[in-house]
């Protein structure tokens, strides 16, 4: 038994969906649990629909564009599309219904109820297509399997319950099917409200299922040949890692390598389940295997994390930054579940670089502005270089304004703003 995860890029249009069926055909004897994300950039489109609605504007046009997008995929996949179009229309009805229940006061829960619709739509289309292609395939909705707390938008897994539900569901499902399809990134709390595991969390769903079932491996199919020493879309001549240890891969995701969701590695490492990252464009190539190994990589590894915000807290009198000041700042950060990506201390100020989740950052700033003078810059990048070389640092500094930098023995980090041309 194996788990496959197909992300947004691998199912972005009808040709891509046909390609995933061709990939699955390469594994005729395997029982597969298939985790799918929303198609293409659907999740971003749903975020825009929600914010338009919550800002009191009419999201009708945005919804109809998203519907047309999916309709065109359906029309290109099914010679007789009527039944699937009916299901698509009913999925969009559910989207509109959940939108009407949304409010700014319950933003996080509203977000999960609306944003999860992308995965419900894609999994419905993919189940129908795989059945049309002759596979014994059945969809199981992830909220039945993935049980979480009610920390909407970044829910924590209830592992014992989730493991039990997955094992029961999969055992039953494989009695009459070879392919079980489910949605990535979503779950439900103990009142059956939809929760999500954090943006790009479908990789994590695949790891949760593999870990619960003790599968032989997990394969995530990407639009890159595997994991490289830099994002090949940003750095030319990036080099493919054929093999990475769990530790190295986890470290890369910690610094922001967006190719794998940061929570993916731990459950797999705990059960010693290999994670394969392979290209859906070149499925017979071996890609990268992440497993327990002792390969030391000495080439620099560059990680560029976008959408960063640098916040500086300055003491308002002429005292120095104290442990008590730091304690106030950290308590507020902890309460808001904000993750610090880099921090630096000086005599009169303390700076943090964090993801630009403005909804949370506004609360952080307003909660602390009576104690500190607070400065912030948005639209920044955090660049981390593991195994840095000085000439590489200089190369990356060109065309960028440097706001903050830090060096340890192995790692170099800087917060930068790309210069406008
Ligand atoms: N070190 C890296 N190696 C490979 N790809 C990377 C790396 N860092 C970032 N990426 C980016 O990750 C993308 C694939 O991840 P993602 O967009 O989450 O895929 P999907 O949404 O289809 O699952 C690639 O297109 C690539 O631009
Ligand atoms: N659709 C969700 C979950 C996800 O993991 O997507 P992808 O696999 O395309 O990164 C998102 O975009 O955040």
């Amino acid at each position: 038994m194996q788990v496959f995860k197909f992300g947004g890029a691998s199912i972005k249009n009808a040709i891509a969906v046909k390609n995933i069926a061709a990939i699955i055909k390469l594994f005729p004897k395997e029982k597969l649990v298939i985790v799918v994300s929303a198609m293409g950039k659907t999740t971003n489109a749903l975020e825009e629909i929600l914010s338009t609605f919550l800002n009191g504007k009419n999201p009708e046009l945005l919804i109809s564009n998203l519907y047309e997008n999916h309709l065109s995929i359906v029309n290109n996949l099914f010679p007789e599309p009527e039944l699937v179009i009916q299901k698509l229309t009913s999925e969009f009805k559910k989207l509109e219904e959940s939108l009407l229940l949304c409010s700014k006061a319950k933003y996080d829960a509203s977000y999960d109820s609306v944003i999860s619709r992308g995965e419900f739509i894609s999994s419905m289309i993919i189940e129908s297509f795989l059945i049309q292609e002759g596979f014994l395939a059945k969809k199981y909705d992830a909220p039945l399997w993935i049980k979480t707390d009610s920390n909407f938008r970044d829910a924590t897994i209830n592992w014992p319950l989730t493991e039990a539900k997955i094992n029961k569901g999969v055992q039953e499902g494989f009695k009459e099917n070879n392919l079980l399809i489910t949605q990535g990134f979503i779950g439900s709390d103990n009142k059956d409200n939809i929760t999500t595991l954090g943006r790009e969390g479908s990789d994590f769903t695949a790891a949760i299922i593999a870990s619960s079932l003790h599968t032989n491996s997990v394969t995530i199919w990407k639009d890159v040949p595997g994991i490289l020493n830099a994002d090949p879309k940003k750095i030319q001549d990036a080099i493919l890692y054929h093999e990475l240890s769990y530790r190295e891969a986890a470290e890369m995701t910690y610094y922001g390598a967006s190719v794998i969701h940061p929570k993916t590695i731990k459950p797999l490492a705990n059960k010693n389940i290999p994670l394969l990252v392979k290209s859906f464009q070149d499925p017979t190539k071996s890609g990268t295997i992440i497993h327990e190994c002792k390969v030391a990589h000495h080439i620099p590894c560059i990680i560029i994390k976008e959408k960063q915000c640098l916040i500086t807290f300055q003491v308002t009198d002429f005292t120095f930054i104290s442990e008590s000041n730091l304690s106030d700042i950290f308590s507020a950060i902890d309460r808001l579940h904000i993750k610090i990506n880099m921090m630096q201390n000086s005599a009169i100020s303390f700076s943090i670089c964090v993801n630009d989740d403005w909804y949370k950052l506004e609360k952080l700033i307003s909660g602390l502005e009576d104690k500190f003078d607070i400065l912030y810059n948005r639209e920044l990048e955090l660049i981390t270089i593991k195994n840095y070389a000085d000439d590489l640092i200089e190369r990356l500094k060109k065309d960028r304004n440097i706001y903050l930098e830090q060096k340890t023995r192995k790692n170099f980090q800087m917060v930068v703003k790309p210069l406008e041309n």
Side-chain angles (χ1 to χ4, degrees), residues 294-310:
K294 289 220 159 47
V295 189
H297 293 287
H298 300 298
I299 53 169
C301 173
I302 305 163
I303 300 146
I304 302 178
K305 199 167 167 60
E306 292 172 344
K307 294 200 188 120
Q308 297 297 292
C309 181
L310 181 67

Side-chain angles (χ1 to χ4, degrees), residues 16-276:
V17 174
K18 287 178 187 170
N19 181 56
I20 73 156
I23 292 175
I24 295 167
K25 281 186 186 146
L26 297 173
F27 301 83
K29 298 209 174 99
E30 199 76 56
K31 297 250 188 223
L32 296 175
V33 181
I34 293 174
V35 176
V36 295
S37 302
M39 293 174 148
K41 301 283 176 207
T42 298
T43 308
N44 292 353
L46 288 166
E47 282 186 343
E48 206 188 334
I49 288 169
L50 177 63
S51 72
T52 303
F53 175 80
L54 291 179
N55 288 327
K57 296 192 197 119
N58 190 346
E60 203 177 316
L61 184 63
L62 296 169
I63 297 176
S64 86
N65 286 344
L66 193 63
Y67 178 79
E68 290 301 324
N69 241 333
H70 285 88
L71 182 64
S72 136
I73 295 176
V74 168
N75 279 326
N76 282 301
L77 286 175
F78 300 93
E80 290 169 13
E82 292 73 19
L83 190 62
V84 185
I85 292 175
Q86 256 178 39
K87 289 185 184 171
L88 185 67
T89 308
S90 117
E91 284 297 338
F92 271 80
K93 269 219 179 78
K94 286 184 200 160
L95 165 62
E96 284 171 348
E97 281 162 14
S98 50
L99 203 54
L100 289 176
L101 298 173
C102 289
S103 68
K104 276 189 180 168
K106 289 191 169 174
Y107 179 74
D108 289 347
S110 300
Y111 180 98
D112 286 358
S113 69
V114 168
I115 271 49
S116 55
R117 300 315 314 171
E119 269 70 11
F120 285 115
I121 298 168
S122 65
S123 56
M124 179 278 290
I125 296 174
I126 285 163
E127 179 196 38
S128 306
F129 183 68
L130 292 175
I131 290 172
Q132 175 183 277
E133 291 300 286
F135 292 101
L136 292 171
K138 185 170 162 67
K139 171 168 72 73
Y140 281 80
D141 285 339
L144 297 173
W145 286 0
I146 309 287
K147 297 304 292 183
T148 71
D149 65 6
S150 302
N151 186 25
F152 296 101
R153 293 179 72 207
D154 189 18
T156 301
I157 304 299
N158 177 337
W159 278 96
L161 199 52
T162 298
E163 284 186 358
K165 299 248 178 212
I166 290 175
N167 274 285
K168 191 162 174 277
V170 165
Q171 208 175 37
E172 180 201 296
F174 279 143
K175 279 185 192 152
E176 291 183 5
N177 304 282
N178 296 328
L179 300 182
L180 305 183
I181 301 151
T182 193
Q183 304 88 9
F185 152 78
I186 64 182
S188 68
D189 69 5
N190 63 4
K191 293 194 178 119
D192 295 328
N193 298 306
I194 305 274
T195 55
T196 65
L197 312 181
R199 279 301 307 263
E200 295 168 4
S202 298
D203 297 338
F204 182 36
T205 302
I208 294 166
I209 295 174
S211 154
S212 302
L213 297 170
H214 264 275
T215 61
N216 301 333
S217 64
V218 182
T219 305
I220 54 180
W221 298 92
K222 297 271 173 181
D223 62 352
V224 281
I227 299 187
L228 295 90
N229 71 328
D231 183 343
K233 288 184 186 148
K234 292 182 186 154
I235 304 281
Q236 280 180 347
D237 308 323
I239 298 163
L240 176 71
Y241 295 116
H242 294 287
E243 197 178 21
L244 276 175
S245 66
Y246 291 120
R247 183 173 292 278
E248 274 178 297
E251 215 186 329
M252 281 179 75
T253 65
Y254 174 84
Y255 289 122
S258 60
V259 64
I260 305 176
H261 188 273
K263 290 183 185 161
T264 310
I265 304 294
K266 186 168 179 266
L268 299 176
N270 284 346
K271 300 254 170 99
N272 218 355
I273 299 170
L275 172 62
L276 309 171

